């Protein structure tokens, strides 16, 4: 999932840093190179097209600018592709040395550039140099769009065997995709924009590098051991000063807050600048100060909810503020990109399936002056366009409610309501609930934070950091620390990580808080889409109503909290039978039922009689009924979580008590340590004693 989110840019940067030790460009630089500059060229071309009166010079200049823009984009794509291929070449070379029995230190002493030059001169060395792959395989692995990649020569098939033998959801999907969908039946694998190759390289790096050398943040590449001792000190000292927690943030979290502040500041300036042509355009097309207030209210709604979940309900010592910011950003940025990608693909499949059903019944919808009407026809070209080519929307049931083919589908639904209700059911439970719950789950899994690392893992990371070397594979450059950083490293080496070993109850609370923070970030982005995209032409009052109603029905955080029950059972209580399918199933049922009630009520209201008064009365009744049923569905979800969380808390307390009692029994010298494992800052442990 890290290779799919943001088109694999984050994972590719991390792979390149681990292999070559090259720091990725900053977000500010990328913003100017990949967004501002192309957008400026495009705007300049549009300006010239409307202000140059000579047809000859107009076409000449505009064509030249557009050609320059396309050339710039192609060059940037080729540059990024070349970087990924170079990382793959060096990684294959190092894996080749590893297979021959060399360790990382021996590989670091050898020169990759000399070996690459020797292989380019002697073509007989190239198969071994590339670990059995050809040069074409490298190019196909990182294709611009789509490419076919030969099946790898197996090095370590443990992962393949584990996935093939597993009966869980991921294993079944893997077998289906690899054997039938992704060209596996013809001995090839379909590559999409190099994302599959990037994921493969990341898995090989896990084999090549120890975990202690991979303990670093994405984007900033800051080692976790640089900032985590301050966070651990705040937890052990029970310091609840918000300013101290802010100073303990990592570079990535501070950058995220800085970029958010800059974006809000720019939008505030845009909302305050008067437009000269404001009277010529529709009022809703201009970003005004009230739209900025709506944007600010959308973020504040999420931040207030996050404050209560993390800070007010005393979970700030279970999960750090740094982790909450990262999980929120993962849900806001990464989970949403995954959801858009997969909902787009699944939406196309569902709409094509619906079109085939319509074609089977020999029914087409023709357009007339009054709108859409059903008829039997042998021509279905218009239906295919409406179903497949029309916009698919963004999240949830939006592909049904907001697409241009809504009236087309409704006309078919009036003729065959049972089939259309089945379509709504599949859309809500699969397209909306299953896809979004999986994306939120993987948004939680994509964040690797030291709050969940063990004491031994932190000590190993500290030992790697204090060795003075940059944590990369290449080992070509050894960074000599200055006096200030050397003192920090010595301090990290002397840091006592015994406070990292926490109770099972605290770990369970941290997992729940992290998953809820991810869901709140996802819901915040979804609220922005609903307010500023689906209701962009609505007034300020209606947009505020949409935000308030969606705030009163926080289905995403509730579903994430339900998911956390299964994650805690698997990771803390060691219930191995709780795999991904059983973890997301209750959340999918809740989320799908919630969406199904709303969309079904909207569909049934469209079947109201032609009489205007009766239709209005029916619409009001369906709207009230859907509101009540949705509220009941949400309350049932809360009650289910409360029941399961209460039972789980009792099991975790018993687990903590058994662990502490075992420590007292087998290690009499550590009696005080065992007692401290029971008596924590929370009063519930004292009740257990």
């Amino acid at each position: 999932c890290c290779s799919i989110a943001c088109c694999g840019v984050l994972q590719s940067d991390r792979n390149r840093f681990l292999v070559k030790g090259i720091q990725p460009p900053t977000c500010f630089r990328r913003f100017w190179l990949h967004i501002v500059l192309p957008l400026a060229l495009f705007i300049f071309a549009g300006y010239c097209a409307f202000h140059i009166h000579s047809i000859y010079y107009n076409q000449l200049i505009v064509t030249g600018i557009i050609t320059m823009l396309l050339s710039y984009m192609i060059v940037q794509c080729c540059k990024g592709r070349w970087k990924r291929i170079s990382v793959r070449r060096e990684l294959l070379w190092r894996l080749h040395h590893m297979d021959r029995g060399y360790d990382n230190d021996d590989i670091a002493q050898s020169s990759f550039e000399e070996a690459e030059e020797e292989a380019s001169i002697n073509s007989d060395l190239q198969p071994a140099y590339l670990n059995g792959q050809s040069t074409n395989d490298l190019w196909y692995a990182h294709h611009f769009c789509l490419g076919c990649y030969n099946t790898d020569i197996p090095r370590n098939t443990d992962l393949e065997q584990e996935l093939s033998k597993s009966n869980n959801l991921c294993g079944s999907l893997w077998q289906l995709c690899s054997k039938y969908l992704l060209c596996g039946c013809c001995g090839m694998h379909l590559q999409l924009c190099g994302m599959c190759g990037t994921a493969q390289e990341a898995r090989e790096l896990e084999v090549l590098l120890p975990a202690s050398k991979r303990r670093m943040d994405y984007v900033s590449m800051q080692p976790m051991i640089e900032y985590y001792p301050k966070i651990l000190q705040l937890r052990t000292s029970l310091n609840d000063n918000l300013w101290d927690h802010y100073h303990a943030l990592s570079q990535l979290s501070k950058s995220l807050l800085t970029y958010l502040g800059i974006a809000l500041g720019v939008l505030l300036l845009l909302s305050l600048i008067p437009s000269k042509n404001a009277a010529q355009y529709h009022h809703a097309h201009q970003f005004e100060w009230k739209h900025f207030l709506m944007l600010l209210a959308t973020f504040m709604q999420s931040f207030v909810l996050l404050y209560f979940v993390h800070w007010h309900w005393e979970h700030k010592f279970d999960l750090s503020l740094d982790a909450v910011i990262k999980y929120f950003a993962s849900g806001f940025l990464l989970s949403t990109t995954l959801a858009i990608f997969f909902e787009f693909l699944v939406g196309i499949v569902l709409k094509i399936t619906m079109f085939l059903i319509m074609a089977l019944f020999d029914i087409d919808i023709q357009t007339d002056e009054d709108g859409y009407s059903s008829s039997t026809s042998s021509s279905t070209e218009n239906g295919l366009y409406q179903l497949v080519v029309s916009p698919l929307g963004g999240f949830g049931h939006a592909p049904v409610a907001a697409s241009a083919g809504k009236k087309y589908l409704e006309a078919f639904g009036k003729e065959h309501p049972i089939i259309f209700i089945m379509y709504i059911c599949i859309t809500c439970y699969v397209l909306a609930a299953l896809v979004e719950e999986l994306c939120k789950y993987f948004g939680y899994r994509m964040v690797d934070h030291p709050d969940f690392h063990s004491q031994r893992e932190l000590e190993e990371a500290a030992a790697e950091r204090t060795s003075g070397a940059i944590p990369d594979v290449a080992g070509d450059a050894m960074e000599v620390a200055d006096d200030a950083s050397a003192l920090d490293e010595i301090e990290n080496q002397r840091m006592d990580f015994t406070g990292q070993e926490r109770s099972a109850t605290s770990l369970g609370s941290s997992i729940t808080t992290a998953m809820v923070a991810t869901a709140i970030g996802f819901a915040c982005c979804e609220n922005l889409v609903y307010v500023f995209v689906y209701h962009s032409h609505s007034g300020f009052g209606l947009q505020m109503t949409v935000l308030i109603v969606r705030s009163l029905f926080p289905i995403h955080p509730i579903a994430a909290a339900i998911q956390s029950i299964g994650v805690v059972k698997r990771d803390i209580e060691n219930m191995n039978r709780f795999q991904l399918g059983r973890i997301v199933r209750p959340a999918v049922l809740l989320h799908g039922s919630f969406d199904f009630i709303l969309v079904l009520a909207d569909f049934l209201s469209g079947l109201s009689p032609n009489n205007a008064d009766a239709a209005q009365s029916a619409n009001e009744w369906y709207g009230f009924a859907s509101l009540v049923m949705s509220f009941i569905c949400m309350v049932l979800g809360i009650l289910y979580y409360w029941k399961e969380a209460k039972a789980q808390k009792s099991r975790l307390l018993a687990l903590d008590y058994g662990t502490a009692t075992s420590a007292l029994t087998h290690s009499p010298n550590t009696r005080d340590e065992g007692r401290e494992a029971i008596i924590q800052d929370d009063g519930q442990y004292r009740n257990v004693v």
Side-chain angles (χ1 to χ4, degrees):
C1 286
C2 294
S3 301
I4 298 178
C6 299
C7 298
V9 174
L10 301 181
Q11 187 65 61
S12 178
D13 288 343
R14 189 170 186 267
N15 294 346
R16 189 166 180 243
F17 180 79
L18 290 174
V19 174
K20 292 179 170 292
I22 300 177
Q23 191 78 17
T26 61
C27 296
F28 184 78
R29 175 183 174 85
R30 279 180 166 159
F31 176 75
W32 280 96
L33 288 179
H34 303 301
I35 297 180
V36 175
L37 184 57
L39 186 60
L41 289 175
F42 184 77
I43 294 176
F44 182 63
Y47 177 83
C48 294
F50 285 100
H51 289 80
I52 297 179
H53 301 288
S54 174
I55 298 178
Y56 174 77
Y57 288 107
N58 189 312
Q59 295 179 348
L60 180 64
I61 295 176
V62 172
T63 303
I65 296 175
I66 296 299
T67 303
M68 184 185 305
L69 175 60
L70 294 177
S71 302
Y72 175 80
M73 295 175 64
I74 293 175
V75 168
Q76 291 297 324
C77 292
C78 292
K79 184 179 178 182
R81 186 186 184 192
W82 176 82
K83 290 179 180 179
R84 295 189 180 189
I85 292 175
S86 64
V87 170
R88 192 177 185 87
R89 292 180 68 92
E90 184 164 350
L91 179 60
L92 288 171
W93 175 74
R94 299 189 182 281
L95 290 173
H96 167 66
H97 279 68
M98 186 177 181
D99 291 340
R100 295 175 60 183
Y102 293 93
D103 56 15
N104 287 332
D105 295 334
D106 296 333
I107 298 175
Q109 293 176 1
S110 58
S111 174
F112 168 71
E113 289 77 10
E114 294 178 0
E116 189 176 29
E117 182 178 357
E118 183 180 359
S120 62
I121 296 174
N122 188 358
S123 59
D124 296 335
L125 297 177
Q126 200 164 50
Y129 163 74
L130 295 178
N131 203 30
Q133 299 187 24
S134 64
T135 305
N136 290 333
D137 290 336
L138 270 66
W139 286 95
Y140 291 144
H142 292 286
H143 209 272
F144 282 124
C145 186
L146 294 176
C148 291
Y149 180 77
N150 288 326
T151 304
D152 290 340
I153 298 176
R155 291 183 56 258
N156 186 357
T157 59
D158 293 340
L159 179 61
E160 299 283 345
Q161 294 177 357
E162 180 182 355
L163 288 174
S164 62
K165 294 180 181 180
S166 59
N167 296 322
N168 53 29
L169 179 61
C170 283
S172 302
L173 291 176
W174 169 257
Q175 295 181 46
L176 176 64
C177 294
S178 61
K179 291 184 179 180
Y180 304 106
L181 297 182
L182 301 183
C183 303
C185 56
C186 59
M188 306 286 286
H189 286 297
L190 184 65
Q191 303 293 311
L192 179 61
C193 301
M195 292 185 290
C196 299
T198 302
Q200 183 188 47
E201 294 155 11
R203 290 193 298 268
E204 294 295 343
L205 280 172
E206 293 181 359
V207 178
L208 186 61
L209 272 179
S212 57
K213 288 189 176 182
R214 292 182 276 111
R215 304 295 185 192
M216 63 182 63
D217 288 340
Y218 281 79
V219 183
S220 65
M221 303 304 166
Q222 181 187 14
M224 297 177 181
I225 202 63
E226 283 189 0
Y227 62 85
Y228 189 68
K230 296 180 181 179
I231 296 176
L232 184 59
Q233 185 178 4
L234 291 174
R235 177 183 295 132
T236 54
S237 62
L238 302 180
N239 188 343
D240 59 354
N241 188 286
L242 183 60
W243 187 248
D244 293 338
H245 282 261
Y246 172 79
H247 280 291
L249 295 180
S250 61
Q251 294 179 5
L252 177 58
S253 296
K254 291 182 179 179
S255 299
L256 291 172
L257 294 178
T258 302
Y259 292 143
L260 176 61
I262 293 175
L264 292 178
V266 171
L267 292 175
L268 176 61
L269 292 178
L270 291 177
S271 65
L272 297 178
I273 296 177
S275 176
K276 296 180 180 179
N277 300 323
Q280 300 178 5
Y281 298 96
H282 193 273
H283 189 66
H285 289 287
Q286 187 180 1
F287 189 81
E288 299 178 346
W289 61 269
K290 57 183 180 182
H291 298 117
F292 176 79
L293 292 180
M294 177 59 61
L295 175 69
L296 194 63
T298 306
F299 277 104
M300 289 303 300
Q301 178 265 341
S302 300
F303 293 159
V304 169
L305 181 59
L306 203 59
Y307 166 79
F308 279 97
V309 171
H310 174 246
W311 199 268
H312 182 74
W313 291 337
E314 298 298 332
H315 293 307
K316 51 182 172 290
F317 299 121
D318 297 324
L319 190 71
S320 62
L321 179 63
D322 179 78
V324 170
I325 294 174
K326 292 175 180 176
Y327 281 110
F328 179 87
S330 177
F332 188 88
L333 299 173
L334 304 184
S335 295
T336 51
T337 57
L338 289 176
I340 292 172
F341 176 78
F342 286 110
E343 284 185 353
F344 180 81
L345 296 181
V346 177
I348 290 179
V349 173
L350 288 178
K351 291 200 170 187
I352 291 177
T353 304
M354 194 64 179
F355 166 74
L356 294 177
I357 294 175
M358 293 180 182
L360 182 64
F361 282 90
D362 196 25
I363 291 177
D364 186 30
I365 308 300
Q366 297 179 348
T367 306
D368 52 25
E369 296 180 356
D370 298 330
Y372 290 85
S373 61
S374 61
S375 65
T376 302
S377 173
S378 60
S379 174
T380 54
E381 180 180 358
N382 182 54
L384 178 63
Y385 175 81
Q386 291 294 339
L387 286 173
V388 181
V389 183
S390 61
L392 296 176
F395 300 94
H397 55 271
V400 176
S403 65
K406 176 188 175 183
K407 293 183 179 179
Y408 180 85
L409 294 175
E410 285 181 349
F412 174 80
K414 291 180 179 180
E415 296 291 333
H416 302 277
I418 302 299
I419 297 177
F420 191 75
I421 290 175
M422 293 174 59
Y423 169 75
I424 291 176
C425 182
I426 296 175
T427 301
C428 292
Y429 282 95
V430 177
L431 180 61
L434 180 61
V435 172
E436 292 185 3
E437 294 305 320
L438 286 176
C439 290
K440 288 188 295 183
Y441 171 81
F442 286 112
Y444 158 75
R445 291 298 299 266
M446 281 189 289
V447 178
D448 182 22
H449 198 273
D451 277 346
F452 297 100
H453 293 170
S454 64
Q455 177 183 348
R456 179 181 58 83
E457 291 172 339
L458 292 176
E459 291 174 349
E460 291 176 354
E464 290 287 346
R465 184 62 182 169
T466 53
S467 63
I470 299 178
D472 58 15
V473 178
D476 297 331
M478 303 294 287
E479 181 179 346
V480 180
D482 53 17
D483 295 339
S485 60
L487 292 176
D488 293 338
E489 291 176 353
I490 295 174
E491 183 66 23
N492 291 337
Q493 189 177 14
R494 296 177 180 176
M495 182 68 182
D496 184 13
F497 292 103
T498 55
Q500 183 67 8
E501 298 299 331
R502 294 181 289 162
S503 63
T505 307
S506 177
L507 289 174
S509 299
S510 62
I511 290 175
T512 302
T513 306
M515 299 192 73
V516 171
T518 306
I520 292 175
F522 184 88
C524 180
C525 185
E526 188 178 64
N527 290 341
L528 291 175
V529 172
Y530 271 86
V531 171
F532 290 100
V533 177
Y534 299 149
H535 295 84
S536 59
H537 298 282
S538 304
F540 179 79
L542 182 58
Q543 291 180 342
M544 181 61 70
T545 303
V546 171
L547 179 60
I548 294 175
V549 171
R550 292 185 61 82
S551 302
L552 295 177
F553 294 90
I555 195 66
H556 285 299
I558 296 173
I562 293 175
Q563 279 195 48
S564 68
I565 298 294
V567 175
V568 173
K569 287 181 179 179
R570 183 194 62 188
D571 297 342
I572 307 300
E573 301 183 60
N574 296 323
M575 296 184 182
N576 296 327
R577 68 179 185 274
F578 272 88
Q579 298 300 323
L580 181 57
R582 298 191 66 175
I583 289 174
V584 302
R585 183 171 57 191
V588 169
L589 292 176
L590 173 65
H591 190 172
S593 300
F594 182 85
D595 287 350
F596 180 73
I597 292 172
L598 295 176
V599 181
L600 180 63
D602 180 71
F603 168 68
L604 294 178
S605 64
L607 300 179
S608 57
N610 296 328
N611 184 278
D613 296 335
Q616 183 178 1
S617 177
N619 291 337
E620 293 177 355
W621 188 89
Y622 282 123
F624 177 76
S626 65
L627 184 66
V628 173
M629 294 297 295
S630 300
F631 181 77
I632 293 175
C633 182
M634 186 186 67
V635 171
L636 291 177
I638 295 175
L639 293 177
Y640 174 82
Y641 168 73
W642 177 81
K643 174 180 173 296
E644 292 292 327
K646 184 178 180 180
Q648 187 173 76
K649 191 173 185 179
S650 301
R651 295 193 302 267
L652 294 178
L653 287 172
L655 183 62
D656 291 332
Y657 182 76
T659 302
T661 304
S662 177
L664 290 173
T665 303
H666 295 88
S667 302
N669 295 331
T670 60
R671 183 179 182 86
D672 294 336
E673 296 179 2
R675 185 172 181 81
E676 289 178 359
I678 302 178
I679 305 178
Q680 298 288 340
D681 54 292
D682 197 339
Q684 59 190 356
Y685 299 108
R686 296 185 175 86
N687 296 332
V688 174
V689 176

